Amino acid sequence: MESLDEFDRVVAAGGLAGHRVQSVDLTDRTFALLGADTTDSVFLGCAMEPDAAAKIRAGGALVFPPIPGLPFDPYRGSLYDPDELFAGLNDAHGYGATPDARTYDWYQRTKSDGDIFSSMLRSIHDDAVSDALDEHLAGAQVVGIMGGHALERGTPDYAGAARLGRTLARDGLTVATGGGPGAMEAANLGAYAAPFEDEMLDAALELLAKAPHFAPSVTDWARVAFDVRQSWPGGGASVGIPTWFYGHEPPNPFATHIAKYFINALREDGLLARSRAGVVFLPGAAGTVQEIFDNATPNYYGSRGEPTPMVLVNRAHWTERLPAWPLLQALAAERPMAARIALVDSVDEAPEALARLRAKASVSATNP
């Protein structure tokens, strides 16, 4: 249970025995807790009155109380949104005062101190985020867009990534990115722009160019993004999956649903595993190369079922500067994944290539 409404329905139906209650404020449900059967139930981070906590423990419940002083809720039952992570951005201390920045500071202090309690809190948090992400994406056709964080606003490549995100969102796909700046932000911006007239994206790109990069000031970079959101509220939905592991790299404010992790490996594998409608790889450096082959490995072995489409964008980049494409082709040779990979010259060709590969995948699934 992750809400008071769920809690009230279960109590009314006969009790809490064997149930799990996750990050629900129960301070106004003392009477219900005192009268409920809580045998083998578990309460994760639920605020409640001391008498109620004592009673349910005595009744066989396992209680993990809220942890005071943490800048994050390890037991959270939902994904983050930009307003939550960037709360306080407009205060005097700017980004440094936000929950996102304070959580990164906590992580920096605790990641190497050997404290098993801090390690446990990070693991519980990331598992809770994964659970919330699976609930959010249930039934969605998720397409991943991968690319480097260094891509600056105001550049043609940034605009191209934004157009890609917009096109895929308008095609009914759920855009998912690594949730950071650069190409990731551009793709989330494009999905945000999908419900509006085309002119909205052009105007937003012009506004964002005032703060091209998150360095030297994350505050200025983020504030311009929120100016865009305020000018065009109610944009299209998309997912960002960033990490506090890269603390210098803030989440972008255009992903409407954010699954932020402490453990980067869990975040990367989870993003690719959930992108069952395919992945588009924009030009990037070491991180994007790693993501290409993290995606290629289960496609090669078939460990996640049918291979998923992979589209690499920018022929010169992936055959000359960082020649990942020849190796990908060699791996795919004489395997089912050979029909699910494509290399295109420009980002505007990527949606058609992805649709073609998805159609092949659909035919293969229908005719095994």
Side-chain angles (χ1 to χ4, degrees), residues 144-168:
I145 301 179
M146 311 297 171
H149 69 266
L151 186 62
E152 291 194 351
R153 297 165 173 173
T155 63
D157 287 344
Y158 184 96
R163 291 194 306 272
L164 172 64
R166 183 178 64 182
T167 298
L168 295 177

Side-chain angles (χ1 to χ4, degrees), residues 182-267:
M184 296 172 281
E185 180 191 55
N188 288 126
L189 166 65
Y192 187 88
F196 300 101
E197 297 293 329
D198 288 355
E199 292 76 15
M200 175 269 176
L201 182 56
D202 295 333
L205 290 169
E206 185 176 349
L207 286 172
L208 291 168
K210 297 177 181 177
H213 199 265
F214 62 91
S217 174
V218 174
T219 300
D220 292 344
W221 174 86
R223 282 175 176 170
V224 173
F226 277 97
D227 288 344
V228 170
R229 285 167 46 94
Q230 186 173 7
S231 297
W232 292 277
S238 68
V239 173
I241 307 181
T243 175
W244 281 293
F245 183 81
Y246 298 122
H248 66 286
E249 185 180 291
N252 79 73
F254 292 110
T256 54
H257 299 81
I258 300 174
K260 190 153 191 180
Y261 288 87
F262 289 105
I263 303 170
N264 185 52
L266 183 63
R267 163 250 191 175

Side-chain angles (χ1 to χ4, degrees), residues 86-152:
F86 285 97
L89 179 69
N90 291 321
D91 295 347
H93 294 288
Y95 173 71
T98 66
D100 186 65
R102 291 188 290 110
T103 300
Y104 173 66
D105 289 342
W106 176 88
Y107 177 48
Q108 286 295 99
R109 294 194 306 271
T110 63
K111 67 180 182 179
S112 302
D113 64 4
D115 183 359
I116 190 63
F117 183 60
S118 296
S119 178
M120 182 189 73
L121 292 176
R122 293 193 295 270
S123 296
I124 291 173
H125 169 275
D126 285 1
D127 189 69
V129 167
S130 289
D131 180 63
L133 183 59
D134 285 336
E135 291 176 357
H136 175 70
L137 293 177
Q141 292 291 309
V142 181
V143 58
I145 301 179
M146 311 297 171
H149 69 266
L151 186 62
E152 291 194 351

Side-chain angles (χ1 to χ4, degrees), residues 45-61:
C46 298
M48 63 184 74
E49 296 295 338
D51 289 349
K55 186 271 175 188
I56 64 174
R57 283 194 180 98

Side-chain angles (χ1 to χ4, degrees), residues 1 15-21 36-44 55-64:
M1 288 173 278
L16 295 166
H19 285 79
R20 278 77 173 113
V21 190
D37 179 4
T38 57
T39 306
D40 296 327
S41 59
V42 179
F43 293 79
L44 298 163
K55 186 271 175 188
I56 64 174
R57 283 194 180 98
L62 184 61
V63 179
F64 293 81

